């Protein structure tokens, strides 16, 4: 077959074995105006096909002469339900003609491999095709049902809807919130986006500023933060604790891709839950809803979602799923790529450089796991960047960088080790004393310093506390990872 020729441009086809599958394929090809020759050993079936003005002839597809009669065809589809007959046909056709494109029907993976070894260019298994089609229909129907349920909850809002991300939100959380607000406004309901913590990461600040995202900072000490909102939605929240503990009112919606233990971490009466750890970003999930609601996609929303997917998958280099790629392909034409380029190239602050330098100096490596203490810090987001940068060191698959600020131990972790779920590692290590957020490839924890050490911080005991914290955190982390700390910097 000559280079550049595609199946769609071919016009001469042969179908060997014309049962129900072959018949359906023949009808479709003829409807497309293709020249189709059908060969089947059943006299009555061939006669019926001829009565329908189809070009059909009687022949045993195992025989060499049948292979000779179809050798001048562009494509040969061998679709008998008899796999042994199909094997013989593939072998005969390939022996006579090397350039013809051969598609063969298998019954299972083993026969599929055998047909491929005999020379079939493409192998199809009707059972697998039916199963894949059924799963696609199931996914589509499930999404339609979920979208309807989500719409009912949103439209039942009498005042306003509060959309809350995880603390110190990253691009995936921000983009997901922006998309849900667009859906909410599409349904004529007013919504605001909230976050706890800080917007410290330069890239995240650039993201919010360039896309002009309106986000409100909330304080856990403010009991009236959500008093004017009668519906609360969490997106990419990543909390591995009871979601109702931090709100004075019930949570109504939870959309996330983090691997959350629903039985343990989610209240039984939460009305709407969509958690899909098989997708690598919450932005991917929200893109599906944007499509289902048939939203007129604004450039800013498309740009945010595309960046959210790219950031969460490390530009499609980490744990990317077909759903992530499909969502990104849908968003790509609508996004502003000049804005994306500006967001992806922010300057690194002096504070971040200081934290990174301290983390490099104080690193301890056991196997492929690196743990480091960045000391007393001002910008907790710098820990996230340090953990990501250290993951690029040769031989390192998991990093954890911690520091102290505001009487709290902040720890950021990253992992590219498919055998290790870093979110669960932090949960195992610090569940009893800290607040853990994250999933299999990135996570963080916040631990009140007083709970961890039993000592209140002051200027006189800072270095003592730092030393105590360093030893204990390293020991707990390495133990949770399954290795022992030796106290060296593992340079």
């Amino acid at each position: 077959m000559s280079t550049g020729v595609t199946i769609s441009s071919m016009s001469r086809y042969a179908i060997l074995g014309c049962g129900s599958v072959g018949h359906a394929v023949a009808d479709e090809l003829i409807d497309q105006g293709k020249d189709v020759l059908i060969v089947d050993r059943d006299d009555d079936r061939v006669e019926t096909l001829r009565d329908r003005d189809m070009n059909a002839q009687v022949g045993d597809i195992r025989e060499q002469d049948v292979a000779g009669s179809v050798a001048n065809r562009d494509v040969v589809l061998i679709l008998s339900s008899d796999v042994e007959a199909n094997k013989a046909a593939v072998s005969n056709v390939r022996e006579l003609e090397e350039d013809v494109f051969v598609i063969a029907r298998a019954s299972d993976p083993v026969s599929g491999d055998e047909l491929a070894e005999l020379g079939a260019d493409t192998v199809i298994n009707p059972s697998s095709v039916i199963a894949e089609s059924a799963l696609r229909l199931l996914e589509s129907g499930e999404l339609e049902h979920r979208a309807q349920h989500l719409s009912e909850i949103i439209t039942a809002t009498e005042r306003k809807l509060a959309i809350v991300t995880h603390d110190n939100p990253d691009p995936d959380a921000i983009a997901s919130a922006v998309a849900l607000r667009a859906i909410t406004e599409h349904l004529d309901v007013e919504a605001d986006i909230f976050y706890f913590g800080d917007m410290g990461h330069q890239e995240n600040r650039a993201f919010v500023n360039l896309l002009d995202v309106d986000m409100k900072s909330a304080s856990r000490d403010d009991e009236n933060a959500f008093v004017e909102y009668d519906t609360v939605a969490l997106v990419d929240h990543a909390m591995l604790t009871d979601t109702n503990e931090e709100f004075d009112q019930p949570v109504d919606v939870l959309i996330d891709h983090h691997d959350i233990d629903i039985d343990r971490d989610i209240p039984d009466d939460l009305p709407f839950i969509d958690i899909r750890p098989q997708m690598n970003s919450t932005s991917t999930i929200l893109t599906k809803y944007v499509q289902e609601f048939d939203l007129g996609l604004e450039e800013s929303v498309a740009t945010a979602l595309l960046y959210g997917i790219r950031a969460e998958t490390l530009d499609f280099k980490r744990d990317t799923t077909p759903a992530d790629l499909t969502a990104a392909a849908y968003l790509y034409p609508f996004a502003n790529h000049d804005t994306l380029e500006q967001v992806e190239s922010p300057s690194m602050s002096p504070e971040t450089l200081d934290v990174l330098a301290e983390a490099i100096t104080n690193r301890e490596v056991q196997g492929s796991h690196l743990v480091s203490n960045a000391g007393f810090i001002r910008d907790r987001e710098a820990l996230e960047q340090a953990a990501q940068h250290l993951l690029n060191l040769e031989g390192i698959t998991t990093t954890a960088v911690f520091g102290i600020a505001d009487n709290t131990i902040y720890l950021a972790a990253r992992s590219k080790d498919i055998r290790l779920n870093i979110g669960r590692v932090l949960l195992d290590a610090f569940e009893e004393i800290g607040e853990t957020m994250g999933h299999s490839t990135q996570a963080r924890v916040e631990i009140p310093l007083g709970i961890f050490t039993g000592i209140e911080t002051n200027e006189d005991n800072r270095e003592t506390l730092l030393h105590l914290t360093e030893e204990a955190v390293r020991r707990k982390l390495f133990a949770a990872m399954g290795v022992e700390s030796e106290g060296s910097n593992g340079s």
Side-chain angles (χ1 to χ4, degrees):
M1 194 162 48
S2 61
T3 302
V5 178
T6 64
I7 294 293
S8 61
S9 69
M10 297 173 178
S11 59
R12 293 172 57 80
Y13 292 76
I15 297 177
L16 307 187
C18 196
S20 58
V21 175
H23 202 157
V25 173
D27 280 339
E28 181 64 27
L29 289 173
I30 291 170
D31 286 345
Q32 294 177 16
K34 307 296 185 182
D35 177 5
V36 180
L37 168 64
I38 301 169
V39 180
D40 194 277
R41 66 180 180 180
D42 188 309
D43 292 332
D44 293 337
R45 183 177 295 158
V46 170
E47 190 64 32
T48 299
L49 293 171
R50 287 174 175 170
D51 288 343
R52 295 188 57 205
D53 294 327
M54 291 184 173
N55 180 13
Q57 64 185 41
V58 176
D60 187 341
I61 67 173
R62 300 171 184 261
E63 300 299 327
Q64 189 75 42
D65 61 337
V66 170
S69 69
V70 300
N72 63 340
R73 296 276 157 170
D74 298 309
V75 181
V76 177
L77 299 101
I78 303 172
L79 302 177
S80 166
S81 58
D82 184 342
V83 175
E84 293 304 319
N86 291 348
K87 292 178 186 177
V90 169
S91 181
N92 291 337
V93 170
R94 190 54 78 203
E95 183 178 338
L96 290 176
E97 181 59 69
E98 290 186 1
D99 290 337
V100 67
F101 194 89
V102 177
I103 299 173
R105 174 180 174 178
S107 60
D108 52 53
V110 174
S111 61
D113 291 341
E114 293 171 344
L115 287 164
E117 289 175 3
L118 289 168
D121 295 289
T122 299
V123 176
I124 58 173
N125 184 342
S127 298
S128 298
V129 172
I130 292 171
E132 290 172 5
S133 178
L135 288 172
R136 284 195 298 270
L137 289 172
L138 176 62
E139 181 182 357
S140 175
E142 184 180 11
L143 179 61
E144 182 180 357
H145 174 74
R146 287 178 182 269
Q148 179 60 36
H149 187 194
L150 179 61
S151 175
E152 291 170 358
I153 292 174
I154 292 173
T155 54
T157 302
E158 296 180 358
R159 298 193 298 272
K160 290 198 293 184
L161 186 146
I163 303 170
V164 187
T165 72
H166 62 62
D167 293 12
N168 316 315
D170 60 8
D172 188 30
I174 297 166
S176 301
V178 167
L180 183 58
R181 182 168 60 187
I183 292 170
T184 302
E185 292 174 348
H186 174 71
L187 297 172
D188 296 322
V189 173
E190 187 177 351
D192 291 320
I193 301 173
F194 289 88
Y195 67 95
F196 296 111
D198 299 319
M199 189 75 67
H201 197 303
Q202 296 95 326
E203 196 170 303
N204 298 344
R205 289 199 300 267
F207 180 43
V208 169
N209 292 335
L210 286 168
L211 291 178
D212 195 23
V213 179
D214 183 15
M215 299 182 69
K216 301 178 183 295
S217 177
S219 170
R220 288 193 169 87
D221 297 328
D222 183 2
E223 297 179 356
N224 298 317
F226 303 103
V227 70
E228 60 180 301
Y229 300 87
D230 52 339
T231 304
V232 175
L234 308 184
V235 292
D236 197 45
H237 197 257
M239 296 297 293
L240 298 181
T241 56
D242 189 330
T243 55
N244 281 341
E245 285 183 355
E246 60 184 288
F247 300 100
D248 293 329
Q249 65 193 82
V251 172
D252 303 283
V253 174
L254 173 60
I255 303 175
D256 211 325
H257 78 103
H258 295 95
D259 188 10
I260 299 173
D261 187 337
I262 294 179
D263 293 333
R264 189 194 67 184
D265 301 323
I266 307 301
D268 294 334
D269 58 350
L270 203 158
F272 183 89
I273 304 172
D274 190 354
I275 298 175
R276 306 192 208 183
Q278 72 273 21
M279 294 185 181
N280 202 47
S281 76
T282 307
S283 294
T284 299
I285 302 172
L286 264 298
T287 300
K288 300 292 184 184
Y289 280 109
V290 164
Q291 292 175 286
E292 186 62 32
F293 279 100
D294 197 22
L295 228 59
L297 199 57
E298 295 182 8
E299 182 182 83
S300 60
V301 177
T303 305
L305 286 170
L306 180 56
Y307 183 58
I309 296 171
R310 288 175 57 173
E312 198 71 2
T313 62
L314 290 183
D315 213 11
F316 309 111
K317 295 190 286 288
R318 177 183 67 194
D319 295 344
T320 309
T321 68
D324 300 318
L325 294 172
T326 301
Y330 168 74
L331 297 166
Y332 190 89
F334 301 104
N336 186 318
H337 297 277
D338 290 336
T339 299
L340 285 173
E341 186 174 348
Q342 293 180 65
V343 173
E344 290 170 339
S345 305
S347 58
M348 183 176 288
S349 70
E351 166 71 0
T352 300
L353 286 173
D354 289 343
V355 169
L356 180 57
E358 194 74 13
I360 292 172
T361 301
N362 295 331
R363 71 193 185 280
E364 178 182 345
V365 177
Q366 298 300 332
S368 63
H369 307 311
L370 180 152
V371 176
S372 187
N373 175 17
F376 290 93
I377 61 172
R378 295 187 302 275
D379 180 6
R380 70 189 71 172
E381 287 296 321
L383 297 173
E384 305 272 352
Q385 297 177 71
Q388 189 60 56
H389 278 290
L390 291 172
L391 197 61
N392 295 323
L393 292 177
E394 184 177 356
I396 298 300
T397 62
T398 305
T399 63
V401 182
F402 61 94
I404 300 174
D406 302 324
N407 292 324
T408 302
I409 302 168
Y410 295 98
L411 185 149
R414 296 287 187 273
S415 180
K416 56 186 179 183
D417 186 342
I418 61 173
R419 301 165 300 176
L420 183 146
N421 183 321
I422 194 62
R424 289 296 163 186
V425 167
L426 295 193
L427 195 64
D428 291 342
F430 305 109
E431 181 178 17
E432 300 300 323
I433 55 175
E435 190 176 78
T436 304
M437 296 147 276
H439 53 89
S440 61
T441 58
Q442 61 182 53
R444 61 185 184 274
V445 65
E446 298 178 10
I447 310 165
L449 190 58
I451 294 178
F452 196 72
T453 63
I455 304 172
E456 186 175 346
T457 309
N458 58 55
E459 287 299 321
D460 295 330
N461 65 10
R462 281 167 59 93
E463 294 306 318
T464 300
L465 282 177
L466 185 59
H467 178 72
L468 291 173
T469 300
E470 180 174 23
E471 292 301 317
V473 170
R474 287 181 191 269
R475 187 172 60 252
K476 279 181 169 290
L477 273 173
F478 280 126
M481 293 175 186
V483 295
E484 292 185 4
S485 173
E486 296 178 359
S488 69
N489 72 353
S491 58

